[in-house]
């Protein structure tokens, strides 16, 4: 059965060439249609995502959540958007207007641009650039400037302080993120995202669970959700760097944050959970989009679950967790993975680096063993460190400096 | 090169998308600014002093260490792409690179520079 | 020579690069100068894409815009007198004349020594993979690759050493319950 997206694409191309478009104009018109479709569906999805989150967090907190506006409260967010659109955007005195209004625009734009390289099915991808994974990392890092602009242009000490803390935290968690982004690239031999999905006959979460976990935790911190949401903690720094935003500008930041959370869930699903792969996807390619969304929502559910359940961490705990645990463990994992993989390739004859699920089984087993080893080392050293800290507290005289 | 047409168009559409609601909000929202409403927020009291923040060198140190690791990982990406083609020697060369930078991290941690005060 | 869209995009990217650089130098407001710097770096990334080096474009954005601009902006923002409207430096005309002289000389040298415009070479499809292989090839770039890591190590040690005196010491740290 042909892919639905290929059918639509071919029909559009024939329609446009019938009207006389060709070459670059054809590309531009197709890209424009594609962009509008992507942005439109993402904004609609955002309404659904926010509803989903509010309902799940409410149930975790033993209450019902929005249930008045529309069936099961589905139109609550529409009502919220309409309300925010009619509120005044208060420009604080002394604020710089252009960076003030540009910051939410850039924050949303960077999230929307991430979707250019995520594949929905084998053939439905915005553009399969040869540097897909690095494009993801690069576009994520564009968000830092928008935070600094927001903090600075508000002309508010707390906003500036919040912006610095936010950037320090986000920048720290970018390191384990890009280190663990290396792992799918390593195992596939290409940075193209469609290539990474095609190579996952055994999902990478099964062969490298620790890498998937570190990648997911780093991503969770990148979107600054609880337990890492110190940046907008009401009791500490009163909404951090978007303290002076109101009305539609605030709504844009809010939207960008939720959309970012869903985007990183989709990212994790694509890079580690096999993206559009699933049973019967060769015969009916359009099923790919169904699997993609099921996996993304599953990861998003874990995201919301963690957000609703875990307590907030202190900023120094967050930083220590990143630099003293995640980064050393990522480096150790990277080193041991490549050494184990290459030596196994040299000495085992049935060891293949690509192919069907059965062929990949030895490699997955070796990599899984390495993951277990590194996880064990991490847990043991954490336990020893914990014991040293406890004894230093209990017996201060005998503590070794 | 054709790949990038979509990204360019998407970036334009993506920048226009949040800009439109904000401009609409500015148009149809009320604009009754008064001195009290526009004053910057400082937990309910009057703002005192200039808006500048004491420079804590931690902000700078974290950004600097991130920069060093960013450049390192950027070197590792081509190595990772070529990984399947490399002999064991090539892989070990990459491992030496990573170990050198792990030493940098250990130095920074031991010198207590990555502490947030 | 007909005007192709590639020419238009090249002109736009050059405008970003040069215009951004001019904005950095001439703008009175330091924050706007930092924003113009980001624009200039984007222009350079665009030029890399036009040269069919997408890896370098992504590296440019990841490292320059993501890390170095953030560093520079943080430094600028804690400078006390960001809005001080200082008069423009007195030697501005002299500097502009010297810059123009340097540009003319360099342009002349490049156009005559290197034969002016040459058609771009073909970029192989797996250029990143070849780069990776070259990084660890002892006959190619292995030594610079390892030296780069030692350079980064040295840079980090130097920075920590310089910042060492400004870092709070153990005695001053209140253990565990006083955090900014």
């Amino acid at each position: 059965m042909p892919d639905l997206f290929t059918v639509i694409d071919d029909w559009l191309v024939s329609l446009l060439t019938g009207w006389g478009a060709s070459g670059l104009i054809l590309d531009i018109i197709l890209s424009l249609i594609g962009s509008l479709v992507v942005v439109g569906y993402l904004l609609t999805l955002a309404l659904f995502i926010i509803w989903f989150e509010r309902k799940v967090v409410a149930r975790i907190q033993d209450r019902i959540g929005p249930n008045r506006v529309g069936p099961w409260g589905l139109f609550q967010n529409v009502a919220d958007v309409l309300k925010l659109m009619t509120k005044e955007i208060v420009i604080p005195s002394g604020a710089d207007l252009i960076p003030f209004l540009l910051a939410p625009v850039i924050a949303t734009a960077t999230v929307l641009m991430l979707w250019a390289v995520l594949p929905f099915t084998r053939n439905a991808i915005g553009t399969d650039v040869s540097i897909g994974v690095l494009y993801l990392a690069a576009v994520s890092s564009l968000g830092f400037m928008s935070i600094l602009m927001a903090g600075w242009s508000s002309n508010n000490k707390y906003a500036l302080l919040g912006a610095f803390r936010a950037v320090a935290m986000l920048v720290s968690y970018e390191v384990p993120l890009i280190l663990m982004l290396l792992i799918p690239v390593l195992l596939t031999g290409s940075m193209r995202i469609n290539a990474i999905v095609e190579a996952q006959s055994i999902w990478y979460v099964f062969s490298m669970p620790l890498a998937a976990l570190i990648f997911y935790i780093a991503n969770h911190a990148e979107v600054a959700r609880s337990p890492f949401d110190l940046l907008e903690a009401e009791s500490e720094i009163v909404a951090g760097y978007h303290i002076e935003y109101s009305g539609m500008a605030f709504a844009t930041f809010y939207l960008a944050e939720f959309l970012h959370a869903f985007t990183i869930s989709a990212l994790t699903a694509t890079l580690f959970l096999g993206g559009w792969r699933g049973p019967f996807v060769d015969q009916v390619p359009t099923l790919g989009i169904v699997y993609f969304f099921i996996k993304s929502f599953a990861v998003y559910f874990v995201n919301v679950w963690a957000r609703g359940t875990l307590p907030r961490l202190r900023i120094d705990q967050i930083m220590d967790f990143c630099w003293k645990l995640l980064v050393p463990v990522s480096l150790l994992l990277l080193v041991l993975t490549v050494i184990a993989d290459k030596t196994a390739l040299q000495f085992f004859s049935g060891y293949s680096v690509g192919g069907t699920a059965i062929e990949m089984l030895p490699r997955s087993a070796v990599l899984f063993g390495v993951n277990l080893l590194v996880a064990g080392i991490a847990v043991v050293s954490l336990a020893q460190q914990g014991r040293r800290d406890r004894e230093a507290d209990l017996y201060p005289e005998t503590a070794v400096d | 090169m054709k790949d990038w047409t979509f990204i360019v168009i998407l970036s334009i559409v993506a920048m226009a998308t949040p800009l439109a609601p904000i401009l609409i909000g500015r148009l149809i929202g009320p604009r009754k600014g008064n001195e009290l409403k526009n004053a910057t927020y400082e937990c309910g009291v009057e703002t005192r002093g200039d808006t500048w923040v004491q420079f804590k060198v931690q902000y700078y140190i974290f950004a600097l260490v991130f920069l060093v690791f960013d450049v390192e990982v950027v070197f590792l990406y081509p190595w990772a792409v070529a990984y399947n083609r490399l002999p064991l020697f090539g892989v070990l060369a990459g491992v030496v690179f990573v170990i050198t930078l792990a030493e940098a991290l250990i130095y920074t941690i031991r010198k207590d520079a990555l502490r947030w005060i | 020579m007909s005007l192709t869209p590639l020419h238009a995009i090249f002109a736009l990217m050059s405008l970003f690069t040069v215009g951004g650089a001019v904005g950095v130098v001439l703008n009175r407001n330091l924050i706007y100068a930092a924003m113009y710097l980001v624009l200039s770096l984007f222009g350079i990334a665009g030029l890399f894409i036009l040269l069919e080096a997408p890896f370098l474009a992504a590296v440019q954005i990841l490292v320059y815009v993501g890390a170095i601009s953030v560093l520079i902006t943080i430094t600028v923002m804690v400078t006390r007198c960001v809005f001080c409207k200082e008069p423009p430096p007195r030697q501005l005309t002299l500097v502009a004349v010297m810059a123009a002289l340097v540009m003319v000389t360099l342009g002349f040298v490049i156009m005559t020594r290197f034969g002016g415009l040459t058609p771009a070479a073909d970029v192989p499809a797996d250029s990143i993979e070849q780069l990776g292989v070259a990084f660890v090839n002892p006959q190619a770039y292995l030594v610079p690759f390892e030296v780069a890591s030692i350079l980064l190590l040295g840079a980090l040690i130097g920075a920590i050493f310089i910042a060492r005196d400004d870092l709070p010491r153990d005695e001053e740290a209140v253990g565990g319950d006083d955090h900014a």
Side-chain angles (χ1 to χ4, degrees), chain A residues 171-194:
Chain A
V171 134
S172 303
Y173 276 91
E174 184 90 0
V175 178
L177 185 74
I178 46 182
L179 274 173
M180 288 296 107
L181 267 180
L182 269 178
I183 300 282
V185 174
L186 207 68
L187 297 179
T188 311
S190 166
M191 287 203 260
R192 283 177 40 232
I193 303 218
N194 235 350

Side-chain angles (χ1 to χ4, degrees), chain B residues 1 4 52 55-58 60-61 63-64 67 70 74-75 78 82 85-86 89-90 93 96-97 100 104 108 113 115-116, chain C residues 49 54-55 59 62 67 71 75 78 80 129 132-133 135-136 138 142 145-146 149 153 156 159-160 163 167-168 170 180:
Chain B
M1 274 290 297
W4 296 89
W52 62 278
F55 181 57
K56 287 193 163 45
V57 75
Q58 269 80 24
Y60 199 79
I61 295 283
L64 190 71
L67 175 63
D70 210 10
V74 150
F75 268 105
R85 265 171 60 171
L86 292 177
F89 172 75
V96 168
F97 187 86
T100 315
T108 320
R115 192 161 53 153
W116 184 282
Chain C
I49 295 182
F55 176 68
V59 166
L62 185 60
L71 260 179
T75 319
V78 294
R80 261 257 202 142
E129 199 177 320
V133 172
F135 268 162
V136 292
L142 177 64
F145 183 60
E146 303 295 343
S149 75
L153 173 67
L156 194 55
I160 302 291
L167 288 172
D170 244 325

Side-chain angles (χ1 to χ4, degrees), chain B residues 29-40:
Chain B
R31 223 168 322 169
K32 309 189 185 72
N34 57 32
E35 212 179 274
L36 210 58
K37 204 162 41 153
N38 283 352
T40 55

Side-chain angles (χ1 to χ4, degrees), chain A residues 181-257:
Chain A
L181 267 180
L182 269 178
I183 300 282
V185 174
L186 207 68
L187 297 179
T188 311
S190 166
M191 287 203 260
R192 283 177 40 232
I193 303 218
N194 235 350
I196 294 181
V197 177
E198 301 241 4
Q200 286 188 59
S201 36
I202 295 188
W203 296 354
Y204 288 153
V205 73
F206 294 133
S207 38
M208 304 279 296
L210 189 61
L213 184 67
I214 297 179
F215 180 73
Y216 177 73
I217 294 178
N219 260 323
H220 195 117
E222 279 289 315
V223 299
R225 309 261 279 181
S226 191
F228 301 105
D229 71 345
L230 199 65
L231 315 177
E232 41 181 59
E234 277 90 36
S235 50
E236 290 232 6
I237 199 164
V238 198
Y241 58 89
H242 38 74
I243 191 178
E244 293 286 350
Y245 282 86
S246 52
M248 211 54 212
F250 172 73
T252 313
F253 264 126
Y254 193 68
L255 173 78
E257 178 189 323

Side-chain angles (χ1 to χ4, degrees), chain A residues 252-325:
Chain A
T252 313
F253 264 126
Y254 193 68
L255 173 78
E257 178 189 323
F258 279 100
L259 212 49
H260 199 183
F262 184 70
T263 307
I264 57 112
S265 310
L267 254 180
T268 316
T270 309
L271 293 174
F272 285 97
L273 290 180
W276 46 256
R277 290 187 78 105
F280 303 122
V281 89
D282 289 322
Q283 290 83 13
V284 187
T286 316
L287 264 184
I289 195 171
V290 171
Y291 294 135
F292 175 75
F293 275 109
I294 291 178
K295 292 175 195 173
S296 305
F297 266 101
V299 181
Y300 186 64
F301 177 73
V302 172
N303 195 318
V304 175
W305 185 10
R307 184 226 164 157
T309 326
L310 295 174
R312 182 181 297 146
L313 292 175
R314 265 192 343 241
I315 185 81
D316 66 319
Q317 290 172 333
I318 294 177
M319 292 307 200
D320 280 349
F321 181 65
C322 174
W323 290 107
K324 299 184 186 168
L325 184 66

